[in-house]
Amino acid sequence: MSNHALENAAKALRDGRCVMAFTGAGISVESGIPPFRGPGGVWSRYDPDKFEKNYFKCHPEEVWPLLKEIFFDMLGRAKPNPAHRALADLEAVGRLHGIVTQNIDGLHQEAGSRVVHEYHGSTRRMQCMKCRKFFDSRDISLETLPPPCPVCGGLLKPDFVFFGEGIPSDVHHASVDLARQADVCLVIGTGGTVQPAGRIPYVVKNHGGVIIEINLYDTDYSYRTSDYYLQGKAGQMTPELVQAVLG
Ligand SMILES: [Zn+2]
């Protein structure tokens, strides 16, 4: 990477009227969360069909132990890394106005970020399929599976988007609204291959915004969209960039 790209990207972040970040699995890898897609990913070891909404509703006793293993035991141990913390720092000084994340791990909030749109939901909440009430996952014991709703005894579902399920319209609209206002979008740890989430940076680009990309490997964004491409690990490049903004 050239220092030139870093300096120009830092200048864009300093000058931006409304700056957003769009993050994906690559920002959480250094927190110990394996990517879901690709070789060695979670979906190479577990059958994604089991995480389809109707299958879950019909076979909760089969699916819940898998959910616990993947999403609560594994993600529950993860801690924010320097990339998450750098974004929280940027928000704290008024240089970042919101994050749209595809991750369901809650690590942005744990790092201190306040405006976070969780496009695919979160493991931090559960919803009862019967009475529709929401619960903080920390208040739900997973000793008995499936865990019953504390209010009505109905089936609880983690509040993230399963296969065969649409994006909740409130988070979709909030994300698109932010992208429409943003004149700078910092893309970190995602190639935008999952739709419709992957289109968010194009909303910024299409009205003349600047795209800054931090990824370990080239993506469609690198070839077609990014104005500045800082190639490297999120946990290293993001703090470097934020340091250049604040410095
Ligand atoms: Zn209930």
Side-chain angles (χ1 to χ4, degrees):
M1 183 205 67
S2 72
N3 277 330
H4 201 59
L6 182 76
E7 284 309 319
N8 285 338
K11 183 174 188 312
L13 287 171
R14 274 195 300 269
D15 295 346
R17 185 182 39 76
C18 176
V19 177
M20 68 172 291
F22 177 67
T23 67
I27 197 170
S28 290
V29 166
E30 290 160 82
S31 290
I33 297 176
F36 284 84
R37 286 154 204 278
V42 170
W43 300 139
S44 67
R45 290 181 284 134
Y46 294 89
D47 179 2
D49 290 346
K50 302 267 160 83
F51 304 93
E52 198 272 325
K53 190 175 185 183
N54 288 324
Y55 190 90
F56 168 71
K57 279 183 175 169
C58 297
H59 307 92
E61 67 298 325
E62 179 191 350
V63 179
W64 249 109
L66 304 174
L67 288 170
K68 177 177 183 292
E69 194 175 315
I70 302 173
F71 296 101
F72 294 94
D73 295 348
M74 191 168 77
L75 270 61
R77 286 191 296 266
K79 293 288 164 214
N81 67 57
H84 298 103
R85 288 195 290 272
L87 290 183
D89 291 344
L90 207 55
E91 184 185 19
V93 297
R95 284 290 87 219
L96 179 66
H97 301 92
I99 298 173
V100 175
T101 186
Q102 299 166 86
N103 299 339
I104 59 173
D105 53 38
L107 293 180
H108 285 300
Q109 292 95 327
E110 204 178 322
S113 289
R114 284 175 298 174
V115 183
V116 183
H117 304 293
E118 295 175 305
Y119 203 81
H120 293 143
S122 175
T123 59
R124 306 203 304 176
R125 295 179 302 274
M126 295 189 195
Q127 185 181 22
C128 175
M129 297 284 86
K130 196 167 160 195
C131 71
R132 314 306 295 176
K133 284 196 171 67
F134 288 92
F135 301 93
D136 187 321
S137 298
R138 290 171 300 188
D139 297 335
I140 304 296
S141 164
L142 297 182
E143 279 178 27
T144 313
L145 296 177
C149 169
V151 174
C152 76
L155 175 64
L156 288 178
K157 176 186 166 295
D159 189 31
F160 52 79
V161 175
F162 278 37
F163 292 113
E165 212 177 2
I167 306 298
S169 64
D170 55 345
V171 72
H172 173 73
H173 287 126
S175 302
V176 172
D177 280 349
L178 177 61
R180 284 188 179 134
Q181 289 170 42
D183 54 357
V184 182
C185 181
L186 183 51
V187 173
I188 307 176
T190 174
T193 52
V194 178
Q195 301 305 341
R199 290 201 285 270
I200 297 282
Y202 291 103
V203 175
V204 181
K205 185 73 178 179
N206 286 346
H207 66 74
V210 172
I211 307 295
I212 301 166
E213 176 183 1
I214 296 177
N215 267 321
L216 198 46
Y217 303 107
D218 292 358
T219 66
D220 280 352
Y221 295 134
S222 331
Y223 298 123
R224 299 166 53 193
T225 320
S226 298
D227 296 278
Y228 306 111
Y229 174 31
L230 312 179
Q231 189 170 17
K233 287 185 174 181
Q236 184 191 334
M237 296 309 306
T238 315
E240 265 186 44
L241 176 60
V242 169
Q243 193 56 47
V245 174
L246 305 181

